[in-house]
Amino acid sequence: MRKWFAGLAAVVLLAVGTAPAEAAEPGGAKVIRVGATQAMDSMNPFLAVRLVSSSIHRWMYGFLTVPDAKTLQPSPDLAESWTTSPDGLTWTFKIRSAKWSDGQPVTAQDAAWTFTKMMTDDGAKTANGPAVENFASVTANGQDLTIKLKTPQASMLDNPVPIMPKHVWEKVGDIAKYEADSYPAVTSGPYIATEHKKDQYVKLKANPEYWRGAPKIDELQVIFYDNPAAAVVGLKKGDIDLIGRLAPPDFEALKGDDNIVQWNTEGRRATYLQVNHGATTSDNKPIGDGHPALKDPRVRQALHLAIDKQKLVDEVQSGLAKPADGSIVPPMYKDFFWQAEGGAKVSFDAARANKILDDAGYQKGADGIRTMPDGSRKLQFRFSIHTDTPIEDKLAEYLTGWFKDLGITLTTKRLDSSKFTEETGTTALFDLAISGWSVNPDPEEVLATHLCSRRPTASGEGGGTESFYCDPQFEKLYQEQQKELDRTKRAAIIKQMQERLYTDAPVIALYYPNNLEGYRKDRIAGITPIPEDRGMLYGGSSYWPFYTVEAVTADAETDSGSNTGLIIGIAAGVLVLAAAGFFVARRRGGVADERE
Amino acid sequence: MTVAQPAAQAIDERPARHGMLRYALGKAGGALLSIAMVIVATFFLFRLLPGDPVRALAQGRNMTPEQLDLERHRLGLDKSLPEQFLQFVGQTLRFDLGTSYEYKRPVLDLIGERIGSTLLLTGTALVMAVSLGIWQGARAGWKPGSRFDKFSTAISLVLWSVPTFWLGLLLLMVFAAGVGPIPGIFPTRGIESVDAPDGFGYVLDIAKHMVLPCLTMVAVVYAQYLLVMRSSVLDEVGQDYVTTARAKGLRDDDVRRKHAVPNALLPTVTLVFMRIGFVVGGAVTVEAIFSWPGLGQLFYEAIRVPDFTLMQGTFLLITVSVILMNTLADVVYHLLDPRVRSA
């Protein structure tokens, strides 16, 4: 049996010693490796919904427009210019004369085919269906693309649909079943996908035909990790060169490594509380079992006052966030961000919160818990959070403490994500719930989650609501901003919408989590974030950072890995020989014993 | 005498053979019944889970009510429960496990793509764990109370109770990242390097990637083989035949290896077979730590989404293989142990 042990040791050590060092680069090509903690769901852009997939498709395909690297305003991409009719219903885009990676010219036909496919084929609607929802017709004439809309839509220039090559994709039979796994892919963006191993990696080659000019590196690799902790180890070790979307603990684990730059910037998310302030269905019938006290704006205001947002940032987010004095659009989007000022600003003030509730007639009982003015119910709220998110648990602890001082009991209700979505989005079986959205450069989508039409029907169909909000004033502002094509004027309306959300408090913004990333400075010589002044690297809606990324030249690198490998290889060899010798000697002895 | 002997043999063997066949058939019938029950249970189990899968899929995405309805229709969720059930049973009997909600591809294809890497990892780990467990358990049980025994028992109890996730991460941090004088030599993820060489180099590359996940699995599961083997060897130590063998002047090692161990192997063999069923399920945790592209990872993804057809499909596959292997374990035990056969 000792043989087994020696064999095992030999196999293990042999494997270690002789396998090539991971960091070796083929033929001195400039390769940048990006770690992603999510794998591709599909290479087919009509089907892919995960963030990593849409990022990779952003790097591969051209879009009508792309957010400008400085201002985040829509700027030309495949569409080099555009005009809008005075009624805002007809948009004409001039498609630039670019080339597909197989040499064919890019025409308006390609864009028209892409949008029409999505409008007519249910399978093609899967990923970006709502983007063409408002399209009446799409036609092409040479390089001119004309889109007619059903109603005016100012967010038109934030179109999330990659333009696909008609001459390749029109041959696909069933879009809903097509895996798009023939490589190299035909694309018009900065990179061409050349290889995809499922759950392992995607290799993207620089597109020499790209209209802006080829990227400065030869190859971009996206390497998938299931486990963020392993990805952090991978970055420290040099298996990958950059990683985004880190949680605070993983980000802090990068501290103290001289080769790694910790990239901590404003993020695109807001974390907030949803308040069940009297949920109704889309035909205005009450639904769910929300606590009646939450219908009272004064109670919602008192809750808002009782939250020490700075403390949440410090203790729950390890300081890696910004306390929210605004609403659901984070400060990263300077044009649209709104912040409460002066008397309107709600700052942590437990005494004032208590006074508001006292004045409103919610008296404290002998047990210190308040009751409704008519004495019918105690102020005992439930707080719905997700089962698998430790950060939310921590948040719940703080809220429970503060609300207790206010005379309100908070009990935490942990739900798995599908139950959570059901209770907070359809059946309204909650009082308070945690929430948060990633916001696009155009905030139309996240604002739309507060529209009356987003509430579910009586039978629980449809939806996509935040807090079951339905407010005539908000609704009116939403329609206005959709018609307003002047960006400054539109931004002013969008700010009014946020102000409405802040004062009416169907949602209470807690903080804006930072965007936490890390990269190796011994591998990445330069990378331009989006926006350029300390913006994001990975996960923004732009190819900009990965178009501009520059690699440290290969000869500047040290080569320590292969030496270690060699030493271990020799040690392994010696060990195996020793083990074999020992075993043979023993075996001889054994046989001799038996002969006697 | 020459006539009587074959006759006696025939009398001895025939009923035994018939018994064996009848036993195997009975077991197979039982297994089929269990599988049928599992199919039914799987359907209702995953319908009992709270939440609307379509809405869960839409989470974080802007979807219109029409789009949600469309999705529901496409997944067959707009049909009545009995209709869905009949469809599910029909499909399952045709080895069609449905289409994954998230990947939009047949579950069987997704399983097919990953089963190989799972079998490679868990198979290797099982062989190592069994070998190591049997070897160490036999030696420990042979000299109970010895230093080796105390050491083995202690280490197996520690490893048995260590959380897999913790152990895996620890190994990852020490041997992949490197700590102090220990260089980080093993990869942090996956089954192969992105720029893996061809030919023999490719095999070595995979071997290198296997070391840490394999080590984690072996560490966690080998204790059970060690403990079972130890106790069954312990049972044999006091037996007369062992004393006799020793009295014949045989070397102690030979008595252990050639007399005691073969007799003590029975319960361990059963355990091994029963464990093979779980091999298909893989090690969800280990695959998740080391981003190993296997079935466990697929199941983990399915739970995270949650992707009900994918969960249902992988769950069914795992349960059915456990049932089949348990049945096989029964039959093999029956074959190996004459005492069970004649009873």
Side-chain angles (χ1 to χ4, degrees):
Chain A
M1 283 297 171
R2 197 155 278 168
K3 173 170 52 169
W4 270 110
F5 204 59
L8 179 75
V11 168
V12 168
L13 288 167
L14 209 70
V16 179
T18 40
E22 186 110 5
E25 283 186 6
K30 287 181 184 165
V31 180
I32 293 294
R33 300 184 173 100
V34 182
T37 44
Q38 203 182 27
M40 291 289 279
D41 48 350
S42 174
M43 283 301 275
N44 180 343
F46 290 110
L47 303 181
V49 297
R50 289 189 181 170
L51 186 94
V52 64
S53 317
S54 37
S55 295
I56 290 175
H57 289 139
R58 283 263 169 199
W59 306 335
M60 289 167 66
Y61 295 99
F63 290 63
L64 286 181
T65 59
V66 63
D68 180 80
K70 286 195 181 72
T71 62
L72 293 183
Q73 289 189 31
S75 72
D77 192 20
L78 269 187
E80 57 182 8
S81 63
W82 50 86
T83 54
T84 324
S85 65
D87 62 1
L89 288 176
T90 308
W91 290 72
T92 310
F93 294 88
K94 191 165 179 52
I95 302 296
R96 100 178 40 249
S97 48
K99 272 187 184 159
W100 291 106
S101 53
D102 63 355
Q104 300 274 342
V106 176
T107 68
Q109 285 291 344
D110 293 306
W113 180 85
T114 307
F115 292 127
T116 312
K117 188 77 189 167
M118 287 173 61
M119 289 158 69
T120 52
D121 181 330
D122 285 345
K125 277 195 179 83
T126 310
N128 288 309
V132 296
E133 184 86 355
N134 191 29
F135 288 15
S137 70
V138 184
T139 48
N141 179 15
Q143 294 301 102
D144 287 340
L145 176 78
T146 308
I147 301 176
K148 287 199 158 52
L149 300 178
K150 295 174 192 161
T151 57
Q153 183 184 343
S155 56
M156 183 65 196
L157 290 175
D158 189 43
N159 189 296
V161 180
I163 306 301
M164 307 303 291
K166 181 188 178 210
H167 66 283
V168 179
W169 281 71
E170 67 183 350
K171 292 177 198 134
V172 174
D174 186 353
I175 289 276
K177 294 207 168 94
Y178 183 55
E179 284 188 55
D181 54 358
S182 58
Y183 300 102
V186 178
T187 66
S188 66
Y191 291 98
I192 306 164
T194 53
E195 196 184 335
H196 173 211
K197 281 230 168 145
K198 291 201 177 78
D199 297 333
Q200 295 285 291
Y201 57 81
V202 176
K203 279 189 190 177
L204 301 143
K205 195 183 76 181
N207 179 3
E209 297 282 346
Y210 183 49
W211 63 268
R212 276 188 208 269
K216 295 178 183 113
I217 56 166
D218 302 302
E219 193 171 286
L220 186 63
Q221 296 175 350
V222 186
I223 297 173
F224 306 126
Y225 283 85
D226 279 341
N227 165 12
V232 166
V233 172
L235 182 71
K236 283 186 161 181
K237 198 188 161 200
D239 288 354
I240 49 172
D241 309 322
L242 182 144
I243 182 164
R245 287 167 63 80
L246 291 169
D250 292 323
F251 183 74
E252 301 209 311
L254 296 178
K255 210 176 269 174
D257 193 317
D258 291 342
N259 284 321
I260 293 175
V261 177
Q262 283 183 293
W263 193 252
N264 171 12
T265 59
E266 286 182 336
R268 58 186 286 218
R269 284 185 74 84
T271 298
Y272 40 94
L273 298 179
Q274 294 182 60
V275 184
N276 188 344
H277 60 285
T280 47
T281 54
S282 53
D283 50 357
N284 294 320
K285 299 232 167 63
I287 184 176
D289 62 356
H291 198 287
L294 290 169
K295 287 183 185 167
D296 187 342
R298 291 168 298 184
V299 174
R300 304 205 291 270
Q301 202 197 357
L303 293 181
H304 196 165
L305 279 165
I307 299 169
D308 185 349
K309 293 167 182 171
Q310 185 63 50
K311 186 137 196 154
L312 288 182
V313 166
D314 294 341
E315 309 283 324
V316 176
Q317 284 283 326
S318 317
L320 300 165
K322 188 178 187 293
D325 286 319
S327 186
I328 52 182
V329 177
M332 150 177 193
Y333 298 112
K334 292 189 179 65
D335 291 358
F336 297 114
F337 174 63
W338 172 86
Q339 189 165 352
E341 268 151 18
K345 187 167 146 181
V346 181
S347 308
F348 175 57
D349 189 342
R352 208 177 129 209
N354 266 308
K355 187 167 183 313
I356 288 174
L357 291 178
D358 287 341
D359 294 350
Y362 297 89
Q363 297 306 324
K364 272 187 189 168
D367 52 359
I369 300 168
R370 291 180 189 274
T371 50
M372 298 285 290
D374 60 3
S376 59
R377 254 178 98 168
K378 286 187 174 174
L379 262 57
Q380 289 170 323
F381 302 149
R382 297 157 296 172
F383 181 40
S384 304
I385 62 170
H386 297 90
T387 38
D388 52 355
T389 336
I391 249 177
E392 294 177 4
D393 264 307
K394 220 167 161 186
L395 200 128
E397 275 175 40
Y398 282 94
L399 292 183
T400 309
W402 290 323
F403 291 173
K404 193 177 169 217
D405 295 343
L406 207 56
I408 294 173
T409 325
L410 195 66
T411 45
T412 306
K413 206 174 152 190
R414 289 175 190 80
L415 302 166
D416 69 68
S417 64
S418 108
K419 187 82 183 160
F420 184 92
T421 334
E422 183 183 293
E423 291 197 353
T424 61
T426 313
T427 52
L429 304 175
F430 74 105
D431 296 320
L432 298 170
I434 189 77
S435 190
W437 276 79
S438 287
V439 181
N440 288 332
D442 190 308
E444 186 268 333
E445 189 180 320
V446 71
L447 293 169
T449 59
H450 297 273
L451 293 177
C452 298
S453 58
R454 288 303 186 88
R455 290 171 303 164
T457 63
S459 57
E461 294 298 303
T465 181
E466 202 70 49
S467 313
F468 295 75
Y469 195 54
C470 180
D471 173 58
Q473 196 184 332
F474 187 86
E475 211 78 5
K476 192 172 136 278
L477 291 168
Y478 180 82
Q479 301 306 335
E480 268 176 44
Q481 64 82 28
Q482 277 294 57
K483 286 193 199 109
E484 184 53 72
L485 298 177
D486 182 301
R487 190 173 164 94
T488 324
K489 287 184 191 156
R490 181 168 173 243
I493 306 172
I494 285 176
K495 286 179 187 175
Q496 286 180 48
M497 296 172 80
Q498 294 173 66
E499 187 175 0
R500 180 72 190 140
L501 290 178
Y502 186 78
T503 46
D504 202 22
V507 289
I508 299 171
L510 300 175
Y511 50 78
Y512 307 111
N514 287 6
N515 183 58
L516 305 173
E517 309 182 272
Y519 69 86
R520 294 189 69 89
K521 60 182 174 203
D522 58 343
R523 302 265 312 141
I524 291 179
I527 182 165
T528 312
I530 175 115
E532 278 181 4
D533 52 332
R534 280 197 76 76
M536 304 163 61
L537 302 176
Y538 174 85
S541 354
S542 169
Y543 48 74
W544 204 246
F546 291 93
Y547 173 63
T548 56
V549 69
E550 282 178 77
V552 171
T553 42
D555 49 67
E557 276 177 64
T558 52
D559 192 27
S560 63
S562 56
N563 271 341
T564 326
L566 189 70
I567 294 164
I568 290 166
I570 294 170
V574 172
L575 220 103
V576 171
L577 283 177
F582 175 72
F583 175 71
V584 170
R586 255 190 67 89
R587 189 81 200 151
R588 280 241 174 95
V591 175
D593 264 1
E594 268 165 49
R595 275 197 203 122
E596 281 163 20
Chain B
M1 180 105 178
T2 43
V3 181
Q5 216 170 15
Q9 243 173 21
I11 290 160
D12 259 7
E13 274 178 10
R14 218 171 270 150
R17 261 193 200 144
H18 277 168
M20 189 59 218
L21 191 65
R22 202 182 311 139
Y23 179 79
L25 282 177
K27 281 284 162 196
L32 281 179
L33 190 69
S34 310
I35 290 172
M37 277 158 68
V38 161
I39 291 177
V40 176
T42 307
F43 178 83
F44 289 102
L45 181 70
F46 287 93
R47 293 312 177 282
L48 275 181
L49 284 179
D52 172 357
V54 174
R55 194 169 296 281
L57 265 184
Q59 197 185 23
R61 260 194 324 144
N62 191 357
M63 268 178 124
T64 61
E66 292 76 30
Q67 218 189 346
L68 288 171
D69 286 347
L70 190 75
E71 201 71 10
R72 221 165 259 136
H73 174 71
R74 214 167 45 209
L75 301 174
L77 291 169
D78 52 350
K79 291 189 187 132
S80 71
L81 205 62
E83 266 182 291
Q84 287 188 42
F85 178 68
L86 286 179
Q87 193 189 358
F88 172 73
V89 172
Q91 279 182 345
T92 311
L93 292 180
R94 276 178 277 125
F95 295 103
D96 174 2
L97 296 178
T99 306
S100 150
Y101 294 171
E102 207 197 8
Y103 292 89
K104 320 264 182 304
R105 298 182 49 219
V107 169
L108 214 56
D109 286 8
L110 292 168
I111 290 176
E113 277 164 13
R114 287 164 179 84
I115 199 163
S117 41
T118 287
L119 289 180
L120 178 69
L121 175 64
T122 46
T124 314
L126 189 73
V127 168
M128 285 184 181
V130 167
S131 324
L132 193 64
I134 290 181
W135 171 77
Q136 206 177 336
R139 288 196 44 148
W142 190 245
K143 284 185 184 138
S146 68
R147 210 187 300 165
F148 184 84
D149 180 38
K150 279 180 187 153
F151 167 77
S152 300
T153 315
I155 210 147
S156 61
L157 288 177
V158 168
L159 289 176
W160 188 233
S161 41
V162 153
T164 313
F165 203 86
W166 184 82
L167 183 69
L169 269 183
L170 196 73
L171 288 176
L172 187 84
M173 300 209 170
V174 174
F175 295 107
V179 169
I182 307 168
I185 36 178
F186 295 105
T188 44
R189 58 160 305 286
I191 189 169
E192 60 188 324
S193 305
V194 180
D195 297 305
D198 292 332
F200 187 60
Y202 184 63
V203 176
L204 284 179
D205 185 54
I206 291 182
K208 188 178 168 184
H209 280 79
M210 273 176 68
V211 174
L212 291 185
C214 221
L215 207 61
T216 312
M217 279 189 83
V218 170
V220 176
V221 301
Y222 102 101
Q224 58 179 331
Y225 301 112
L226 191 158
L227 294 176
V228 169
M229 193 62 200
R230 178 184 176 272
S231 70
S232 53
V233 166
L234 209 55
D235 282 346
E236 305 297 327
V237 171
Q239 301 280 341
D240 289 346
Y241 75 91
V242 172
T243 318
T244 313
R246 276 180 170 154
K248 272 162 56 182
L250 285 181
R251 241 167 41 97
D252 201 47
D253 264 5
D254 286 328
V255 179
R256 175 170 58 87
R257 281 215 301 260
K258 291 177 184 156
H259 295 256
V261 167
N263 284 322
L265 266 176
L266 262 178
T268 322
V269 168
T270 322
L271 190 67
V272 169
F273 269 94
M274 285 170 66
R275 194 74 206 177
I276 293 176
F278 291 98
V279 161
V280 182
V284 178
T285 324
V286 172
E287 289 190 3
I289 300 168
F290 295 98
S291 315
W292 190 264
L295 278 185
Q297 194 201 44
L298 193 66
F299 195 51
Y300 179 69
E301 274 292 315
I303 295 170
R304 268 213 302 209
V305 172
D307 184 336
F308 287 105
T309 33
L310 191 53
M311 271 160 87
Q312 199 170 274
T314 30
F315 178 79
L316 204 60
L317 181 87
I318 294 166
T319 2
V320 167
S321 54
V322 169
I323 292 175
L324 290 180
M325 282 306 146
N326 274 0
T327 312
L328 203 62
D330 276 348
V331 174
V332 168
Y333 196 88
H334 207 75
L335 273 177
L336 289 181
D337 193 345
R339 287 169 300 181
V340 184
R341 224 183 309 167
S342 56

